[in-house]
Each structure stands twice: as structure tokens, then as C-alpha cells.
Amino acid sequence: MKALASLIGFLFVSVGGGFWIGQIARPDGWFRHLAKPWFNPPDWLFAPVWSVLYVLIAVAGWRAFRAGNGKALTAWIIQMALNFLWPPLFFNAHATLPALIVILGLLAAILIFLARVGTRDRVAFWCFVPYAMWVSYATLLNAAIWRMNG
């Protein structure tokens, strides 16, 4: 029962927090009028991708928590904070360069989490791989938007 309760807690933080951030930091007219690179995905793709990623992020964090892997859990908490900081910085504050710095930190925290669970928990590791790939792509996209509009 404790395991289920803690999993629900991680899902609440990850999925619930992601939903909340998505409500307060939405693309607006500013974003629609930015010059974007050819590899910019359609807007409809973000919600389903993030929905799946947030579930995987929760499962990975929960597994690190259950295993008592404090170093991985610290990286998980840091990446979650940076994950939630990026959208308001980019979409609300229109701060593309600070958002780029934050997303680079997010990517670093994700890679640290991967390193800290890699040999200890393959499930947590593989839950984070799609996230690392998506954030790598998002980092490139953020950099291109900053460069094209700076």
C-alpha cells in the first residue's frame, strides 16, 4: 500500500505539475509570430508527448525513491524544478536566452539521473531515455529560436 501511495505522489507531482504548468504557460501570439526552424513540430504534438513523458518521469523518480537512491532522487528533484521553470520563462516572460540556460541545466540533470540509475535500475533508466531525447531536441529548438529571433 505504501508503494502505491508513493507512486501516486510521484504521478501527482509530475503529471499534475506538468498539467498545471501547461495551463499557466501556453504559447501565445508572441510565440506564434517567432521565426522558427524547419524542424519545429506542430503545436498539437506537445500535449501528447509531454503526457507520456510525465508518466515515465514519475515512474523513474518513484523507482529511485523506492530503491533509496538518494543521488538519483536529488537529480530527479532538480530536473523537475528546472522542467517546471522553463515554460513560464520561455512562454510567459519571452526570455529565450535564460530559457536556453535553464533547459541546458535540465538536460544536465536528466543525464546525471541517467548516470545515477544506469547500472542500478534499468527500468528507471529506460523511462528517462525518451525524456532525454525529447529535451535534447527541445534544447536545439530553443537555441534555434533564440538565434533566429535574438
Side-chain angles (χ1 to χ4, degrees):
M1 195 62 178
K2 283 184 181 179
L4 180 59
S6 60
L7 176 57
I8 290 169
F10 274 87
L11 286 166
F12 178 78
V13 168
S14 184
V15 177
F19 177 78
W20 178 70
I21 291 294
Q23 295 304 304
I24 66 166
R26 294 175 173 258
D28 57 9
W30 168 82
F31 180 74
R32 285 186 216 25
H33 291 97
L34 287 174
K36 296 180 194 81
W38 61 269
F39 56 88
N40 186 68
D43 290 344
W44 63 263
L45 186 62
F46 289 92
V49 167
W50 277 110
S51 297
V52 171
L53 289 176
Y54 279 132
V55 170
L56 293 172
I57 291 165
V59 170
W62 173 71
R63 290 182 62 91
F65 170 76
R66 295 276 298 154
N69 187 341
K71 288 183 177 184
L73 192 57
T74 298
W76 189 90
I77 291 167
I78 292 168
Q79 69 75 30
M80 201 82 268
L82 293 171
N83 180 302
F84 291 163
L85 175 61
W86 186 89
L89 196 56
F90 188 89
F91 292 114
N92 295 54
H94 306 160
T96 56
L97 180 57
L100 179 58
I101 293 166
V102 167
I103 203 169
L104 286 166
L106 171 59
L107 184 56
I110 291 167
L111 295 174
I112 290 167
F113 179 87
L114 284 167
R116 291 180 175 172
V117 298
T119 58
R120 296 176 75 177
D121 187 341
R122 301 306 287 167
V123 173
F125 179 87
W126 286 107
C127 281
F128 249 54
V129 167
Y131 181 37
M133 292 170 57
W134 182 259
V135 172
S136 295
Y137 169 68
T139 302
L140 182 61
L141 186 58
N142 188 155
I145 289 172
W146 168 68
R147 184 88 170 131
M148 294 172 78
N149 295 278

